[in-house]
Each structure stands twice: as structure tokens, then as C-alpha cells.
Amino acid sequence: MSDGAVVASASVQKDEFNPFKAMARRFDGAANHLELDPGIREVLRTPDRELTVAIPVLMDDGSLSVFRGYRVQHNFLRGPCKGGIRFAPDVHLDEVRALAAWMTWKCSIVGIPFGGAKGGVVCDPRKLSLGELERITRRYTASIMDILGPDRDVPAPDVNTNEQTMAWIMDTYSMHVRRTATAVVTGKPLILGGSKGRLEATGRGVMISTREALKTMGLRPEETRVVVQGSGNVGGVGAELLHREGYKVLSISDMYGTVYNDKGLDVPAVMAWLREQKRLDGFSEAEHLPNSEQLTLECDVLVPAATENQITSKNVDTIRARLIVEGANGPTTAAADEKLEERGVVVVPDILANAGGVTVSYFEWVQDRMGYFWTEDIVNARLEQTMVNSFNEVHTTAKQNNVSLRKAAYILALDRVATVYRLRGIFA
Ligand code: NAD
């Protein structure tokens, strides 16, 4: 290979793993299908606002460290921006941009009145004390204060952030505006205006999407073997609910390892172990595999629910599932997607499959603004209705246009946001 060819191939590979480019490739496919006006296409593709902040924090040892934080608001044509905040050592701006855009499309698909945003702080929470995490969270919140608010931008938890993080954000914002503003974040503790059912909502949505997709493929729960990558808020809850519905969950993983039983795992026992021990690798009632082997296990359904770029051009040919339900955001690269489509593997895309979380976040925001709280049964019934309707709309669009579920989801999402843009007109 010539030097030029080596550079070109390295850059194609880099592009494959760049989440914003992955989002843009799917966006362009749907925009072409819709024959979207080039100007509107440019508006919808470009993030509206990007804020990068420096976060100086006094560490426990008395030193001062400066962390970097981002908040990207992709689009607020349909309502206030909505999207999680992740804390991770490798968070970067293109990742946050992609995640923000995915939130725009996700909210549009499930028909909730929000635009999309995402935030990130470059830090390694495993190396920080609770006090340091609290100071990072509060200073980050103060630095992005100007663009936050119940009518502007409403964060939520994502990777390595949780109810406690949301409580700190809510308190910091409230102290600045001199009133308790519960609706500024979702995913809060119940006692602070959180919603029943929020913690399980994304996993529940994944279970519902899996069930609806399998119905269209004629598979019954008891004959369906499922592999779940990740055992956090999405994968862990998803696996528990799938097990409860009668699916055979063969394997679950975390960042330290994979557990496997070809007859089906005792999922409640795995999750009880995990809650106690915080990692899967010592669990004795199953076989252990290296993580690299999990995605290639023989199964009917694969649920990648850990992180992005897991199914790529490098391993796609070894995937043996018939259905992939994307619990995580961006787990399949665009290059891998094309191969899966060629092989007839059905993919329920992230912007549909994991939209249960933002749907119940919307319910939480509504309840906070009403000051009146729903029972868990009401929350779950409304989530069920939203997920089933959204799945059916995407499925029908796919059939009508003879395209994949992913392309159909983007077509529906873009069309709705573009329609809103045309109706609102161009502000000048
Ligand atoms: P989490 O931090 O609760 O859990 C992540 C899990 O993935 C952990 O079990 C971790 O050990 C595991 N993991 C990480 N790397 C792994 C690897 N290489 N192999 C196997 N396991 C690995 O995070 P979460 O909230 O469950 O989010 C997971 C994904 O779902 C992310 O992409 C997130 O953006 C997306 N998502 C989350 C929500 C939500 O409500 N939490 C909503 C929509 C989408």
C-alpha cells in the first residue's frame, strides 16, 4: 500500500469511529430520501449552540485541578433541549455533538416536545472522591447556568452520573435562581421531584422494543435467546425485565468480564451479585468469557447496552444474532450497519430502542411542573403506549419505503423537525 493509501485508510477508520460522522451519515441518508431542501438540511445537521467550559476544582489533597466540560444544544425547534450528562475520561466534543443530535431525533420519534442536547465532563469518576465529584458537578452547573432551565435545557443522567448528580445540579441551579426549580433536571431522586419508573424506563423501553420487533419476526419469548452487553442502568434493567417476560438471557457483561450459561442465566441472581460486589467477574454460578467473545455468541437477540462503537467493520461478520436492539447510543458504526442490512439482520436503532428514558424524563418534567405525581402503573402504562406506538410508526415507515428500521426512524424524525421548521419560518 502506498503512503497515501495508508493515510486514506487510517482516515476512513477514524471516520468510522467518530460518532458525529456516524450520525451525519445516517442523517444524510434520510435527508436524501426526503429530498430535503439543502438549506434546511444544513440547519438541522448543525448544532445550534456549543459551550466548552473550564472547571477549576479544589481537590481533597489541597491542589487545584482544571477539568473540561461541554454542553451541546443541537436543536430546540420542538421545545426545550433535553439530554444527559456523562462523566468519562475520554469524552470529546464530537461525541457530545453526536449524542445531542441523537436526542433531537429521539424526542421527535417518540413525539415529546423537546429538542436535543448532551453534556460531558472529562474526568475519571473512579479516581475521584464523592466530595470532588460534587464540586465538579456544582462548578460545571454554574458554568453552563446561562443556557440551562426548565424552559431552555433540561439535563438528565448518562454514563457515570446518577440521581445524586442530578440532585446537586438541581440544588446549584436553584440556589442561583433563588427558588427550588425541580424541573431543571430529570432522573432526580423520588423525594426531590423524581418520577416513579424513571430508573427502569430505558431498560423497560428496550424490553418493549425487543418484544415488538420479535412479534414482527414471529418469535416467541420462550424460544428467544438474548445476549446483553453492559449491566448498568440500561443493560442490567433490560436483562432483568427480559428475563421476567420469559426470554432466555444467555449472557450479561460489564467492563470487567462476561458471564454465560447456554441454558439461560438466573438474571436476578446475577444482578443481586452485581449490586453487592459492583463487578461481575467473581460470580460463581456461570461460565466466564472474555468480553471480546460476547458479541459473537450464538443467539437470537443481541442488546448492546454499554457504549458506542461496539459492532464495527472489524467484528460485524462474526455477529450471529438475528435481531440487534441498541440499548446504548451509537453501538453500531455506519459501516457495520450496511453489512448487517445486507445479511438481513434486523436492527432496532438506538434513537428508538433506548427512547424509554427520555420519555419518562418528559413525564418527570411534566409532573414537576404540575406539582402532581403519578403512580408507577400510570407511568409504565404511558411509557408502554408511547414505545409501542413509536415502534409501529417506525416499522410502518420502513415497510412503506422498503428501508431499514434505522433509516425509517431517521426519516420520521427529520421529517417532523423539518415540518416544524417550515411552519415556524426563518427568524431574521
Ligand atoms: P451505566 O454506566 O449505568 O452502565 C454501563 C455498563 O456498561 C456498565 O455495566 C459497564 O461496566 C458496562 N461496560 C462498559 N464498557 C463495557 C464493555 N466494553 N463491555 C461490556 N460492558 C461494558 O450506563 P447506562 O446508563 O446503562 O448507559 C449505557 C448506554 O446507554 C450509554 O450509551 C448511554 O448513553 C445509553 N443510554 C442511557 C440511558 C439512561 O437512561 N441511562 C438512556 C438512553 C441511552
Side-chain angles (χ1 to χ4, degrees):
M1 215 188 284
S2 71
D3 282 359
V6 171
V7 171
S9 128
S11 121
V12 167
Q13 268 196 16
K14 221 170 125 211
D15 281 359
E16 180 179 356
F17 297 107
N18 179 310
F20 191 71
K21 290 198 168 141
M23 188 293 297
R25 203 155 141 189
R26 275 74 175 251
F27 174 96
D28 287 339
N32 290 341
H33 185 95
L34 289 165
E35 297 176 5
L36 214 58
D37 168 87
I40 295 187
R41 182 188 293 233
E42 195 56 26
V43 170
L44 300 190
R45 208 175 189 273
T46 313
D48 264 311
R49 189 185 273 157
E50 300 181 348
L51 191 55
T52 300
V53 294
I55 309 166
V57 172
L58 193 59
M59 306 305 281
D60 290 350
D61 66 2
S63 65
L64 186 63
S65 287
V66 182
F67 297 87
R68 183 164 292 272
Y70 304 106
R71 185 75 184 166
V72 174
Q73 296 178 336
H74 173 256
N75 188 287
F76 39 84
L77 282 165
R78 298 181 61 260
C81 291
K82 187 87 196 77
I85 292 171
R86 62 173 55 176
F87 285 0
D90 52 357
V91 178
H92 56 93
L93 192 52
D94 263 352
E95 177 185 357
V96 182
R97 279 184 184 130
L99 289 158
W102 282 324
M103 288 306 296
T104 303
W105 314 134
K106 215 178 281 188
C107 294
S108 173
I109 288 172
V110 289
I112 57 179
F114 287 135
K118 205 79 180 189
V121 176
V122 186
C123 65
D124 187 348
R126 285 174 305 178
K127 296 186 179 147
L128 296 163
S129 71
L130 198 64
E132 288 166 341
L133 276 172
E134 176 173 357
R135 293 193 289 281
I136 291 174
T137 306
R138 287 189 181 277
R139 183 59 193 254
Y140 168 69
T141 307
S143 299
I144 62 168
M145 237 337 260
D146 289 342
I147 62 170
L148 289 189
D151 294 310
R152 289 180 178 162
D153 185 352
V154 185
D158 193 65
V159 176
N160 292 326
T161 57
N162 55 26
E163 290 190 342
Q164 178 60 75
T165 325
M166 296 307 112
W168 290 329
I169 296 177
M170 192 277 261
D171 183 70
T172 307
Y173 181 86
S174 296
M175 296 319 275
H176 279 82
V177 298
R178 299 288 193 261
R179 65 190 156 77
T180 295
T182 53
V184 69
V185 282
T186 59
K188 298 178 294 292
L190 262 185
I191 198 165
L192 282 186
S195 174
K196 293 200 167 121
R198 171 62 186 90
L199 216 54
E200 303 84 29
T202 311
R204 184 172 291 280
V206 166
M207 181 274 284
I208 297 168
S209 306
T210 307
R211 188 191 66 207
E212 294 306 303
L214 287 170
K215 272 191 212 161
T216 69
M217 297 165 72
L219 270 173
R220 290 200 311 270
E222 58 281 9
E223 60 192 19
T224 305
R225 298 156 308 160
V226 186
V227 167
V228 182
Q229 185 196 39
S231 46
N233 190 246
V234 183
V237 174
E240 277 192 302
L241 292 175
L242 285 163
H243 173 81
R244 206 178 295 165
E245 295 289 310
Y247 298 87
K248 213 189 272 185
V249 179
L250 303 187
S251 173
I252 305 179
S253 61
D254 67 5
M255 65 174 77
Y256 306 105
T258 295
V259 291
Y260 173 69
N261 183 334
D262 64 354
K263 308 247 170 339
L265 291 166
D266 178 351
V267 180
V270 177
M271 295 311 295
W273 168 271
L274 196 58
R275 273 188 276 274
E276 188 99 332
Q277 305 293 330
K278 312 287 178 229
R279 48 195 290 164
L280 279 175
D281 46 6
F283 184 72
S284 61
E285 293 154 46
E287 254 181 77
H288 287 260
L289 304 173
N291 278 354
S292 55
E293 286 177 24
Q294 193 197 22
L295 298 183
T296 64
L297 285 170
E298 166 109 43
C299 62
D300 301 296
V301 185
L302 176 61
V303 182
T307 184
E308 52 257 23
N309 294 336
Q310 295 302 299
I311 303 173
T312 72
S313 56
K314 290 191 182 133
N315 66 1
V316 64
D317 293 332
T318 63
I319 302 286
R320 291 194 274 173
R322 300 161 65 183
L323 170 68
I324 295 175
V325 181
E326 295 185 330
N329 287 308
T332 313
T333 67
D337 227 11
E338 283 161 17
K339 296 228 167 165
L340 291 170
E341 204 177 332
E342 275 165 29
R343 279 174 43 203
V345 179
V346 179
V347 180
V348 184
D350 45 8
I351 54 174
L352 170 63
N354 70 33
V358 75
T359 301
V360 176
S361 272
Y362 164 57
F363 296 162
E364 180 174 332
W365 179 81
V366 169
Q367 292 170 80
D368 285 338
R369 289 165 73 100
M370 287 194 301
Y372 178 73
F373 290 85
W374 309 344
T375 63
E376 191 162 351
D377 284 348
I378 290 180
V379 171
N380 288 346
R382 288 180 178 164
L383 171 63
E384 164 85 24
Q385 195 182 24
T386 303
M387 290 304 298
V388 172
N389 287 348
S390 306
F391 181 89
N392 288 336
E393 281 176 337
V394 172
H395 187 251
T396 305
T397 306
K399 285 265 157 296
Q400 281 168 350
N401 294 282
N402 193 24
V403 295
S404 67
L405 290 175
R406 181 168 340 257
K407 191 155 184 183
Y410 273 83
I411 289 171
L412 260 184
L414 257 73
D415 196 29
R416 286 176 183 164
V417 182
T419 302
V420 168
Y421 189 60
R422 286 190 207 98
L423 285 168
R424 286 182 62 156
I426 302 161
F427 175 75

